[in-house]
Amino acid sequence: MKKKKIVVLTGAGMSAESGISTFRDSNGLWEQFRVEDVASIEGYERNPKLVLQFYNDRRRQLLKTSPCEGHFLLAALEKDYEVVVVTQNVDNLHEKAGSTRVVHLHGELMKATSSLNPDSPECIVELPEGADIHWGDKAKDGSQLRPFIVWFGEPVPMIEQAIEEVRQADIFVVIGTSLNVYPAAGLLRYVPNGVPMFLIDPKVVSVVESARITFIQKGASEGMKELQKLIAAL
Ligand code: OAD
């Protein structure tokens, strides 16, 4: 029998139990840094060295973390379901936990690219563990090497693939995102009618589609345990 397809949209809350700060919770990253300074294309053009340092620090922090139970439980669903993870996270914790199909909407911390052609596949390189990007490091096209991160003000090339995945979902799950950032938050609109939707978050997240969503008001790991039971009963 064909496996049911689960599409899961994840955000910073998915990695919170791994010790990575979220963005908009109290003490979140956007209380410590101005998003327009470190996560916008204008910020990079204004002060590239500051932005390189910000992502070098994020990458160093990532090396000290491991997937949480929630990441592992999500990866384990692949035994019984076809699972596609669409993540806003730039960490690699889904992959480390064993998820095999991960669409990164906002880029990947462990990759670098060209400042001139950031989406060009020939310019995207994997960074070795522990590597920083330095001012003066060059991409294949000779431009300054930059983090492979989608900044505010830039297109989100992976959104088309994400929309296609969501359109084919038999079950749709949201974990740990405030749904403040588009186009990612707009993916909920593409969930076909009648497809069960679940949302795991310890806080109340306001969503237009709330009437058709089953809310699991828990952290990612405890929430995943409840999700397992709920989807098994479908
Ligand atoms: P936010 O910081 O906006 O939201 C994090 C969500 O995780 C909130 O709803 C929290 O309640 C929830 N949360 C906190 N702890 C949790 C836990 N243990 N388990 C589950 N959920 C938990 O982060 P995102 O929605 O991911 O983009 O932010 C989206 C984008 O905004 C990011 O990808 C980043 C940021 O600016 C860029 O930098 C381009």
Side-chain angles (χ1 to χ4, degrees), residues 11-14 16-17 22-25 30 39 88-89 106 150 152 176-179 181 200-203 205 218-220:
M14 183 81 225
E17 290 159 29
T22 61
F23 295 96
R24 295 174 183 80
D25 288 305
W30 295 158
Q88 297 164 87
N89 299 343
H106 294 165
V150 176
F152 288 98
T177 168
S178 61
L179 296 173
V181 174
I200 300 173
D201 200 298
K203 284 201 198 141
V205 180
K218 292 187 170 165

Side-chain angles (χ1 to χ4, degrees), residues 50-61:
L50 173 82
V51 177
L52 294 184
Q53 188 56 49
F54 175 78
Y55 289 97
N56 286 342
D57 290 344
R58 304 274 79 70
R59 206 174 302 106
R60 285 178 189 194
Q61 183 198 17

